[in-house]
């Protein structure tokens, strides 16, 4: 009988530990949606409070990565940051669960400043001089916060409580030492079991780390999932040439639809392409396009033309390789540096003709459309320079941002402006 009871106890303890280990794994491994990057890019950042303690405001440029549940701040470009992470440098992470976001004009003399306040008492200011960029970021972060629970059901909070509750065996022994001596034998056994259970925490955590590592390394690649049909080929986030191959064209159908809608009802709209549309509605449009659902941009839900222009900009922004391919970036920069205007135009024209057909033809359609926007500048207030500022960084960027970002931005804008102002000359050989 004693043997039977002992075996039963062992089975019970083993089951308890297994369940406990699974509970830890559930708390420590975040859901896949937590790991998804929703937005990333450069902003000015200042941390003004840490745990409720006020800090001196010190602005710095940060590469910011927004995922479903948190924001990470990197001190340098994304590629350098990822390299540094391998050597032990980790980005500053901000938990968005229960956080609050608001515009903060009174907190800085700079324009376009908003503040994020976390439940732990940390406060951050984020800023950009470019209106549509900061508006995109504000709405993206606000939407992320609004999707998260407002109470203690946040996984991050549960994990903190979990850590607090799990004291070391030494602390427990000190706390319960006098109680053990005074307890009845059956109560004493219960306390000893709890102490022994706590002592196994380290090994539990090690097992969790091992399983997490295996989980990450064994995840199938995006290509594998696409080949198995588990993930459909999408419009947003796909390479331009792949989208065109699937559609058997050299200009994506979605790009042509957006341009048609804008030219039908948006040429006279003040701030067209500069003003941001509602991000939630833009994301809804993005989802419909990616799911290959029937799209009618004349539908009343897309009546705000800024939603259409926002979706078009997002399409180009999310291309894995920009419309101006990485391999052409330095060559376009060298061309725009030329002093003589005719030489500059000829150099850019020559490069455009060397581009792959999907890039060249999409570029021709897009910039041809933007020249119609400029032609209405007296009404929409969008000059060649304004459109260059909006589209330069979206269409043209270096593969590795190792140089001076500000200098790159100047060239990006200048190239986009030249493509607009000298459109007829640059694409003259393409004209019918």
């Amino acid at each position: 009988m004693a043997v039977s009871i002992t075996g039963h106890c062992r089975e019970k303890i083993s089951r308890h530990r297994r369940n406990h280990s699974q509970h830890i794994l559930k708390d420590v491994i975040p859901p896949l949606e937590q790991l998804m990057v929703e937005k990333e890019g450069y902003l000015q950042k200042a941390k003004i409070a840490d745990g409720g303690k006020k800090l001196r405001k010190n602005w710095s440029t940060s590469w910011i990565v927004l995922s479903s549940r948190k924001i990470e701040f990197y001190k340098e470009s994304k590629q350098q940051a990822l390299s540094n992470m391998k050597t032990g440098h980790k980005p500053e992470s901000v938990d968005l669960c229960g956080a609050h976001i608001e515009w903060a004009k009174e907190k800085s003399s700079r324009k376009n400043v908003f503040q994020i306040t976390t439940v732990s008492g940390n406060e951050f200011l984020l800023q950009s001089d470019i209106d549509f960029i900061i508006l995109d970021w504000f709405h993206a972060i606000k939407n992320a916060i609004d999707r998260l629970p407002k109470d203690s059901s946040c996984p991050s909070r549960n994990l903190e409580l979990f850590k607090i509750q799990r004291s070391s065996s030494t602390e427990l022994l000190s706390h319960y030492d006098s109680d053990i001596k005074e307890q009845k034998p059956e109560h004493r056994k219960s306390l000893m079991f709890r102490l022994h259970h706590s002592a196994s925490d380290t090994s539990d955590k090690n097992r969790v780390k091992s399983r997490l590592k295996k989980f990450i390394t064994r995840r199938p690649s995006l290509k594998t999932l696409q080949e198995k049909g588990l993930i459909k080929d999408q419009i947003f986030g796909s390479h331009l040439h792949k989208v065109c191959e699937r559609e058997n064209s050299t200009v994506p159908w979605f790009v042509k639809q957006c341009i048609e809608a804008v030219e039908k009802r948006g040429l006279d709209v003040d701030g067209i392409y500069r003003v941001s549309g509602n991000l939630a509605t833009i994301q809804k449009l993005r989802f419909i396009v990616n799911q290959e659902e029937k799209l009618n941009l004349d539908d009343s839900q897309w009546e705000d033309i800024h939603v259409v222009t926002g979706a078009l900009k997002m399409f180009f922004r999310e291309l894995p390789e920009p419309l101006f391919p990485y391999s052409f970036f330095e060559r376009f920069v060298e061309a725009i540096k030329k002093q003589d205007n005719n030489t500059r135009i000829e150099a850019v024209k020559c490069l455009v003709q060397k581009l792959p057909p999907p890039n060249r033809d999409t570029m021709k359609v897009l910039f041809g459309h933007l020249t119609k926007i400029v032609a209405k500048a007296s009404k929409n207030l969008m000059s060649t320079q304004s459109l260059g500022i909006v589209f330069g960084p979206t269409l043209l960027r270096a593969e590795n941002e190792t140089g001076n970002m500000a200098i790159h931005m100047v060239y990006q804008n200048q190239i986009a402006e030249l493509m607009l102002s000298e459109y007829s000359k640059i694409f003259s050989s393409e004209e019918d």
Side-chain angles (χ1 to χ4, degrees):
M1 184 66 179
V3 173
S4 176
I5 292 173
T6 303
H8 176 73
C9 289
R10 286 178 179 171
E11 182 183 351
K12 187 174 181 180
I13 292 171
S14 175
R15 192 186 307 118
H16 179 81
R17 287 182 180 172
R18 183 166 60 254
N19 292 340
H20 178 64
S21 178
Q22 290 170 350
H23 175 71
I24 299 171
L25 188 62
K26 181 181 177 183
D27 279 344
V28 174
I29 298 179
L32 283 177
E33 59 266 21
Q34 273 185 257
L35 305 174
M36 293 174 62
V37 173
E38 294 191 359
K39 189 174 180 62
E40 54 186 337
Y42 283 105
L43 286 180
Q44 292 295 312
K45 182 207 77 170
K47 187 173 184 179
I48 59 173
D50 187 359
K53 181 181 178 181
K54 297 298 181 182
L55 301 176
R56 182 178 180 182
K57 184 164 54 185
N58 184 20
W59 289 101
S60 63
T61 301
S62 290
W63 178 271
I64 300 176
V65 178
L66 169 66
S67 59
S68 302
R69 293 186 179 274
K70 65 181 180 180
I71 296 177
E72 291 180 325
F73 298 114
Y74 296 87
K75 292 183 179 179
E76 59 276 310
S77 67
K78 184 176 181 183
Q79 289 77 14
Q80 291 173 323
L82 292 175
S83 175
N84 285 341
M85 282 179 70
K86 296 177 182 177
T87 60
H89 293 79
K90 293 184 179 180
E92 183 175 12
S93 182
V94 176
D95 181 10
L96 293 178
C97 217
H100 177 69
I101 183 172
E102 61 183 345
W103 293 103
K105 295 180 180 179
E106 74 285 353
K107 295 290 180 74
S108 174
S109 58
R110 299 187 177 203
K111 69 172 187 175
N112 301 338
V113 177
F114 64 81
Q115 177 177 329
I116 300 172
T117 306
T118 69
V119 292
S120 60
N122 293 342
E123 297 177 13
F124 298 87
L125 299 180
L126 297 179
Q127 185 267 345
S128 171
D129 289 332
I130 303 176
D131 295 347
F132 78 89
I133 290 180
I134 200 67
L135 283 170
D136 273 355
W137 272 104
F138 182 86
H139 290 302
I141 296 172
K142 187 177 186 302
N143 288 335
I145 292 173
D146 290 344
R147 288 194 301 267
L148 295 174
K150 302 296 187 291
D151 52 27
S152 59
S153 61
C154 284
S156 54
R157 291 191 194 176
N158 288 341
L159 187 56
E160 289 302 317
L161 291 172
F162 184 69
K163 290 177 179 177
I164 293 170
Q165 291 167 355
R166 294 167 63 83
S167 304
S168 68
S169 58
T170 304
E171 291 170 332
L172 282 171
L173 183 60
S174 174
H175 183 73
Y176 290 112
D177 184 49
S178 58
D179 290 339
I180 292 174
K181 294 176 182 178
E182 297 172 4
Q183 291 290 337
K184 295 178 181 179
E186 57 271 23
H187 292 167
R188 193 177 304 164
K189 287 180 180 178
S190 175
L191 281 172
M192 290 305 295
F193 171 78
R194 286 155 64 188
L195 288 174
H196 176 72
H197 175 64
S198 179
S200 66
D201 286 351
T202 302
S203 59
D204 282 339
K205 288 179 181 177
N206 289 337
R207 282 197 296 272
V208 168
K209 288 180 181 178
S210 176
R211 291 175 65 180
L212 178 57
K213 186 176 180 181
K214 288 179 181 178
F215 167 75
I216 293 173
T217 55
R218 291 178 182 177
R219 280 185 305 169
S221 65
L222 178 61
K223 184 179 180 181
T224 302
L225 293 173
Q226 288 174 333
E227 289 174 350
K228 291 182 177 180
L230 297 174
I231 294 182
K232 292 182 179 180
D233 291 326
Q234 299 185 333
I235 302 299
F236 283 78
S238 293
H239 285 274
L240 182 64
H241 70 275
K242 289 186 177 179
V243 175
C244 291
E245 282 174 8
R246 291 200 300 269
E247 298 179 358
N248 193 28
S249 71
T250 53
V251 181
W253 160 82
F254 177 68
V255 172
K256 290 187 283 189
Q257 267 212 320
C258 289
I259 287 174
E260 182 182 341
V262 174
E263 292 184 355
K264 185 187 296 184
R265 53 192 171 94
L267 291 179
D268 295 337
V269 175
D270 185 5
I272 190 73
Y273 284 112
R274 175 179 56 78
V275 176
S276 298
N278 181 276
L279 187 59
T281 311
I282 293 173
Q283 291 289 7
K284 181 180 179 181
L285 176 56
R286 178 182 186 272
F287 177 80
I288 289 174
V289 173
N290 273 344
Q291 294 301 310
E292 299 179 0
E293 296 181 22
K294 187 176 180 181
L295 178 66
N296 177 17
L297 291 178
D298 291 329
D299 192 286
S300 60
Q301 62 181 322
W302 318 122
E303 63 181 354
D304 180 4
I305 197 63
H306 297 305
V307 167
V308 178
T309 57
L312 182 60
K313 288 186 293 182
M314 182 179 284
F315 169 80
F316 285 112
R317 195 161 56 238
E318 291 189 1
L319 288 174
E321 186 168 16
L323 186 61
F324 290 73
Y326 288 133
S327 58
F328 281 78
F329 178 78
E330 292 297 339
R331 286 185 271 180
F332 272 103
V333 170
E334 289 304 314
I336 203 68
K337 286 180 180 179
K338 295 184 182 299
Q339 298 298 315
D340 180 69
N341 190 51
N342 290 329
T343 305
R344 188 187 307 128
I345 294 170
E346 193 60 35
V348 170
K349 177 181 177 179
C350 183
L351 289 173
V352 168
Q353 291 174 344
K354 293 178 181 178
L355 291 171
N359 300 74
R360 183 184 65 245
D361 292 353
T362 302
M363 199 177 289
K364 176 185 175 183
V365 169
L366 176 64
F367 282 104
H369 162 65
L370 294 180
T371 58
K372 297 178 182 179
I373 301 290
V374 174
K376 296 273 190 174
S378 60
K379 293 184 178 180
N380 59 42
L381 304 181
M382 290 301 291
S383 63
T384 301
Q385 185 179 14
S386 300
L387 289 170
I389 292 172
V390 172
F391 280 96
T394 298
L395 304 178
L396 182 74
R397 61 183 183 271
E399 186 170 10
N400 298 307
E401 293 282 358
T402 54
N404 189 316
M405 182 187 167
I407 297 296
H408 278 175
M409 187 172 289
V410 170
Y411 293 139
Q412 289 163 340
N413 298 351
Q414 288 178 350
I415 292 167
E417 288 176 37
L418 185 72
M419 299 287 287
L420 276 170
S421 60
E422 303 296 343
Y423 175 82
S424 59
K425 293 180 181 179
I426 292 172
F427 291 96
S428 59
S429 62
E430 306 292 329
E431 298 292 339
D432 297 327

